């Protein structure tokens, strides 16, 4: 059965849903729990919104654990940073302040304002770093970016790799347009 156990909380449908903090709401689905103050879950299965003002729109086994965090859908995604967001995909993590993952599989945005748009096994771990897509790419420098390709690294501030395979932009403001196994390491 459904439970709405806090001040102005509500559960309007579904099965075994819980709204357990003030103004929390669950609209439907199954086994969902909105446990953050003013948190909400629209539907899906085994989703949890535990951060204040957090939300999960749907999908399965998604978590929005910090204040203003959101997951729109997908499977086993975790928005663990304040105001972090995940639009969809599977097993993605946005764990820092204002970080985001748009989709894909096993992508991580782990520093403030970092973003991953898609692909697989990509990690944007530098402040304001970004990865557009590809496979096993890493942008760890502040303001660094990897547009796509496979196993590319942008490790210093303002470094960028546009694509290719196993390229490394290791110098401040260095860039590699593409190719294979190239290194740009000077300032």
């Amino acid at each position: 059965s459904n439970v709405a156990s806090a001040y102005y909380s509500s559960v309007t449908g579904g099965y075994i849903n819980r709204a357990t903090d003030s103004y929390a709401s669950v609209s439907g689905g199954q086994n969902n729990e909105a446990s953050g103050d003013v948190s909400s879950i629209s539907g899906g299965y085994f989703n949890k919104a535990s951060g204040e003002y957090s939300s999960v729109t749907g999908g399965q086994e998604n978590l929005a654990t910090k204040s203003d965090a959101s997951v729109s859908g997908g499977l086993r995604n975790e928005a663990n940073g304040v105001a972090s967001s995940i639009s969809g995909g599977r097993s993605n993590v946005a764990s820092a302040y204002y970080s985001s993952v748009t989709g894909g599989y096993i992508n991580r945005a782990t520093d403030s304002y970092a973003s991953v748009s898609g692909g697989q096994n990509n990690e944007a771990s530098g402040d304001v770093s970004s990865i557009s897509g590809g496979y096993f790419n890493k942008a760890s420098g502040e303001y660094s970016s990897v547009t796509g390709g496979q196993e590319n690294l942008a490790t210093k501030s303002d470094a960028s790799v546009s694509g290719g395979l196993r390229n490394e932009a290791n110098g401040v403001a260095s860039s590699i347009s593409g190719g294979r196994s190239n290194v740009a390491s000077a300032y």
Side-chain angles (χ1 to χ4, degrees):
S1 65
N2 294 319
V3 175
S5 61
Y7 185 70
Y8 288 108
S9 63
S10 67
V11 176
T12 54
Y15 180 66
I16 313 177
N17 292 312
R18 295 165 301 288
T20 60
D21 205 345
S22 299
Y23 301 97
S25 67
V26 178
S27 298
Q30 182 178 342
N31 285 95
N32 295 307
E33 183 176 0
S35 60
D37 190 35
V38 198
S39 62
S40 67
I41 297 177
S42 299
Y45 180 70
F46 272 105
N47 295 308
K48 292 188 180 187
S50 58
E52 184 179 37
Y53 301 103
S54 65
S55 66
V56 177
T57 305
Q60 183 175 334
E61 298 174 37
N62 294 307
L63 303 173
T65 64
K66 295 292 184 183
S67 107
D68 300 301
S70 67
V71 177
S72 297
L75 173 64
R76 293 187 188 125
N77 294 307
E78 298 180 23
N80 297 329
V82 171
S84 62
S85 67
I86 297 178
S87 299
R90 181 176 179 178
S91 301
N92 296 307
V93 176
S95 60
Y97 189 76
Y98 285 99
S99 60
S100 67
V101 176
T102 305
Y105 179 57
I106 314 177
N107 292 311
R108 295 163 302 286
T110 61
D111 205 347
S112 297
Y113 302 97
S115 67
V116 178
S117 297
Q120 181 177 342
N121 286 97
N122 295 307
E123 183 173 5
S125 60
D127 191 36
V128 199
S129 61
S130 67
I131 297 177
S132 299
Y135 180 70
F136 272 104
N137 295 308
K138 293 187 185 215
S140 57
E142 183 179 31
Y143 302 103
S144 64
S145 66
V146 176
T147 305
Q150 183 175 332
E151 298 175 37
N152 293 307
L153 304 173
T155 63
K156 296 293 183 185
S157 176
D158 299 300
S160 67
V161 177
S162 297
L165 173 64
R166 294 189 188 123
N167 295 305
E168 297 181 28
N170 295 330
V172 173
S174 61
S175 67
I176 298 174
S177 297
R180 181 176 180 168
S181 300
N182 295 303
V183 176
S185 58
Y187 181 63

